[in-house]
Amino acid sequence: MNEENSLLTGAVRPALLRYALPIILSMVATQFYAVADTMIIGLRLDADALAAVSNASTMLMIFLFISGGMELGGGLLVAAGKPTATKHEMTELLYNLLFVDEIIALLTTAVGFVTLPALLRLINTPAEILDTAVLYGHIYLLGLPFLMPYDLSKECVMGCGDSKTPLKVIVATSVMNIVLDLVLVGPFGVAGAAAATAAAQVAGAVYMVAFLRRTQMDAAFSPRMLKARYARDIFRLSAPNSVQQASGTIITTVKQGLLGGLGVEAIAGFSCAGKLSSLLMMPVFGFVQSTVFFIAQNTAALQPGRVKEGLREGRRILLVYSLGVVAVCIGLRGPLLRLFTTDPAAASYGCTMLAFESVTYLFVAQKHLFEARLRGAQKMGLYLASNLGQIALNLLACVILVPRIGFAGFWMSSWISAPIGMLLAAALGRPWQDWNLVSAHGRACDPVAECLTAGGKPVFFLTGGAETPASLCGRLAAAGLGDAHVLVGEELGRAEEKILFGTAQEFAQKQFASLSVLLVEHLPQPPRRVPGFPDEAFHRGEVPMTKQEVRAAVLAKLAVRPEDILWDVGAGTG
């Protein structure tokens, strides 16, 4: 079984883990060479150099959030299209993505060169490290026109179902970056570290774009392939991701500005703790990103039950891992921080931050998984609402607490915002706006027809009178749909409230309270010989009807698209 099909079939947990592991390792490797930069600079140079790189990196994130948005949006677009797109359609999509990405990269590089010194002064970068920070940032920006297509092509390959090739390339470029760091940092200082990173980005971009061209495209680039509809789709998914990336950068920038008043040691310690916690949490972000692709492909394939099972498995996996991260951060904070700096004051700040903030990772991991469902279903507005709500709360808490209580305000703001952010993401994680709403209260209702014509969407039944959840489930089971996943809510909003999960077959035999509702979330589709519903799915008695094969040929000739409106007069019976 090839890798991309494994996301759509087979046992969910093994399929998800097999696909997620290379993505997790890719993100860990990427973060590792960022950590290696920090370690080599901190140990071979001094706290001033470490603080300069920290401030420059914060400001560079203002420009890199655009790269991150294109990367995530492009990968999601490819993953959603992969189950149904032809090779030529995929070729056109990829060329449009790469073209838009490179234009934005060149513009961003130019803006970054001009504005970087002013931005560094804006966050109160100490005068003694300002020139060093500007130097590091300018050299890093030279690699941005290569970094953006490198990151985008990796994400597109992952969206196509291949998570192993990007891992191999990332490991190779990470090793290259670390070796160049060891060679260049000694004689050239922070400039050598920036040059090492830029060189690794160039090598990665050349290989990944060539690999994408060789494996996923069937034609050479032509300007005729550039189409407005692709641009609209790209910006529809990339812009919200860019806004999310920018919001994270804004809060980091504000925190960096608040740190400026606490001294170089606080900046260095905060940076070390941040790099370490990012490395330890990278498996969470990698697993969540793989879950986004899993959801996108299974949503496009109309398999909502598989999406639900994937999220359930994800919650268990992330809970176990985040508990382990908390234990490591608290128990080994001292030895871990001494890997980054020999400065006792900087290490002390870092240990404090790592120990206290790590408790919030339990909530952060679950929040990101709730948001993965929104991203995978392309509900970008709800995703932004969830993400920005938590970030705004964290920012507000920092601005209020740090000036009053000092360094402790940073981790206390996370204590406040992380649990609330998780609850917000959970509340938005099951948007009812996409449900088909059907009233079966005191009126005739055909649950089989309502579910079969819902296009894979959940169907919500308001029951009452003669129609109960049991009677509706019984009719679904009698029609061969007994494996449908259903949820029954009894006495909602009252002290006796109950939420019950099961299948239509199981619930057809149960008794429920008179005040109940039914949600049908996953409907097994009957086997089909050709596209379209089989003849036996229609209630027609003895009335003759156009055969399924003829109806399928007519539909194929019409080339009906999801957004088209088709009037079928007579429903095939004349």
Side-chain angles (χ1 to χ4, degrees):
M1 181 183 298
N2 63 42
E3 214 175 333
E4 53 209 65
N5 285 340
S6 72
L7 293 177
L8 301 174
T9 59
V12 168
R13 184 190 298 176
L16 193 53
L17 287 175
R18 278 196 305 268
Y19 180 68
L21 184 59
I23 295 180
I24 292 170
L25 294 176
S26 297
M27 288 191 167
V28 170
T30 301
Q31 186 63 26
F32 181 75
Y33 81 67
V35 170
D37 276 343
T38 305
M39 291 175 65
I40 293 170
I41 291 169
L43 297 174
R44 288 203 166 190
L45 301 176
D46 54 25
D48 282 359
L50 193 60
V53 171
S54 173
N55 276 25
S57 297
T58 299
M59 289 299 94
L60 287 170
M61 289 303 299
I62 293 178
F63 309 106
L64 293 177
F65 75 78
I66 300 175
S67 174
M70 284 295 298
E71 174 187 350
L72 296 173
L76 178 55
L77 197 57
V78 169
K82 184 63 177 176
T84 56
T86 65
K87 190 72 173 281
H88 186 70
E89 288 171 337
M90 187 59 64
T91 298
E92 285 193 339
L93 171 59
L94 291 170
Y95 275 132
N96 277 266
L97 280 166
L98 290 169
F99 179 81
V100 172
D101 188 64
E102 188 59 27
I103 293 298
I104 293 175
L106 293 171
L107 292 173
T108 304
T109 300
V111 172
F113 258 85
V114 173
T115 60
L116 184 60
L119 291 171
L120 286 167
R121 284 190 288 269
L122 187 64
I123 62 169
N124 300 320
T125 300
E128 64 268 25
I129 64 171
L130 180 61
D131 290 342
T132 305
V134 171
L135 176 64
Y136 179 88
H138 278 167
I139 296 175
Y140 189 98
L141 283 168
L142 290 174
L144 190 59
F146 299 91
L147 171 65
M148 287 186 62
Y150 175 36
D151 285 343
L152 176 62
S153 56
K154 285 187 304 185
E155 206 72 16
C156 289
V157 170
M158 291 179 187
C160 289
D162 178 3
S163 56
K164 294 179 181 177
T165 298
L167 169 61
K168 296 173 184 176
V169 178
I170 289 170
V171 170
T173 54
S174 298
V175 171
M176 175 182 174
N177 190 89
I178 293 169
V179 170
L180 289 175
D181 270 341
L182 294 171
V183 172
L184 298 177
V185 167
F188 299 107
V190 298
T197 301
Q201 291 164 358
V202 172
V206 170
Y207 183 86
M208 283 306 306
V209 172
F211 179 84
L212 196 64
R213 170 69 180 86
R214 186 173 69 253
T215 59
Q216 300 298 332
M217 302 181 185
D218 65 355
F221 173 74
S222 167
R224 292 193 299 274
M225 292 180 175
L226 301 177
K227 298 176 181 178
R229 65 185 178 90
Y230 287 119
R232 286 193 295 269
D233 284 340
I234 290 168
F235 286 109
R236 176 175 60 86
L237 295 180
S238 297
N241 279 301
S242 293
V243 171
Q244 182 272 328
Q245 299 270 319
S247 62
T249 301
I250 290 170
I251 191 169
T252 303
T253 302
V254 171
K255 288 182 177 181
Q256 208 75 33
L258 293 170
L259 279 165
L262 299 178
V264 171
E265 291 81 6
I267 296 174
F270 185 87
S271 173
C272 292
K275 295 282 187 183
L276 185 57
S277 62
S278 294
L279 179 62
L280 292 172
M281 287 295 286
M282 202 54 63
V284 171
F285 305 141
F287 183 83
V288 167
Q289 184 62 17
S290 65
T291 305
V292 171
F293 290 152
F294 176 87
I295 292 171
Q297 288 205 14
N298 281 280
T299 298
L302 300 180
Q303 298 190 110
R306 191 169 173 84
V307 170
K308 181 179 177 181
E309 187 178 351
L311 288 168
R312 184 166 57 245
E313 294 290 349
R315 283 193 290 271
R316 296 169 182 165
I317 292 168
L318 290 183
L319 177 62
V320 171
Y321 178 79
S322 53
L323 283 170
V325 170
V326 173
V328 168
C329 288
I330 294 175
L332 300 176
R333 61 188 183 278
L336 289 174
L337 263 297
R338 285 194 289 274
L339 294 173
F340 290 84
T341 180
T342 56
D343 187 300
S348 177
Y349 277 113
C351 285
T352 301
M353 187 70 189
L354 194 64
F356 284 103
E357 190 175 48
S358 64
V359 177
T360 66
Y361 298 163
L362 295 168
F363 304 103
V364 171
Q366 299 299 321
K367 167 188 172 290
H368 282 292
L369 188 64
F370 286 128
E371 290 176 347
R373 178 168 187 168
L374 299 174
R375 290 168 58 198
Q378 300 186 22
K379 305 299 180 185
M380 305 310 290
L382 292 173
Y383 164 61
L384 269 184
S386 171
N387 195 271
L388 296 182
Q390 189 266 339
I391 287 176
L393 182 58
N394 187 280
L395 179 61
L396 179 62
C398 271
V399 170
I400 293 174
L401 294 175
V402 173
R404 289 168 173 78
I405 64 176
F407 193 79
F410 290 112
W411 54 262
M412 288 188 69
S413 65
S414 296
W415 278 20
I416 294 170
S417 62
I420 296 176
M422 185 194 71
L423 294 175
L424 175 61
L428 295 172
R430 299 186 64 186
W432 59 266
Q433 292 92 334
D434 283 342
W435 296 354
N436 277 14
L437 307 181
V438 179
S439 175
H441 185 80
R443 60 189 292 269
C445 173
D446 184 350
V448 178
E450 296 289 353
C451 292
L452 285 176
T453 58
K457 295 180 180 180
V459 182
F460 176 87
F461 294 93
L462 177 66
T463 68
E467 296 288 14
T468 67
S471 68
L472 296 176
C473 287
R475 288 153 73 183
L476 289 173
L481 302 174
D483 290 335
H485 293 188
V486 299
L487 175 153
V488 172
E490 291 187 289
E491 306 285 1
L492 297 180
R494 305 177 65 177
E496 300 85 3
E497 175 179 304
K498 291 181 182 178
I499 305 293
L500 305 171
F501 297 88
T503 66
Q505 185 70 51
E506 295 167 349
F507 282 5
Q509 312 300 323
K510 293 182 178 292
Q511 297 293 321
F512 298 99
S514 57
L515 294 176
S516 297
V517 295
L518 172 70
L519 179 66
V520 181
E521 292 193 281
H522 170 45
L523 196 71
Q525 295 297 312
R528 301 176 183 177
R529 293 166 291 169
V530 294
F533 293 116
D535 295 342
E536 55 269 22
F538 295 86
H539 296 286
R540 56 189 174 89
E542 299 300 322
V543 178
M545 181 176 178
T546 305
K547 299 302 182 184
Q548 180 185 12
E549 291 79 6
V550 177
R551 287 185 279 111
V554 172
L555 288 172
K557 191 68 174 177
L558 288 172
V560 181
R561 296 171 299 178
E563 63 268 23
D564 291 338
I565 297 176
L566 174 67
W567 292 89
D568 183 5
V569 180
T573 62

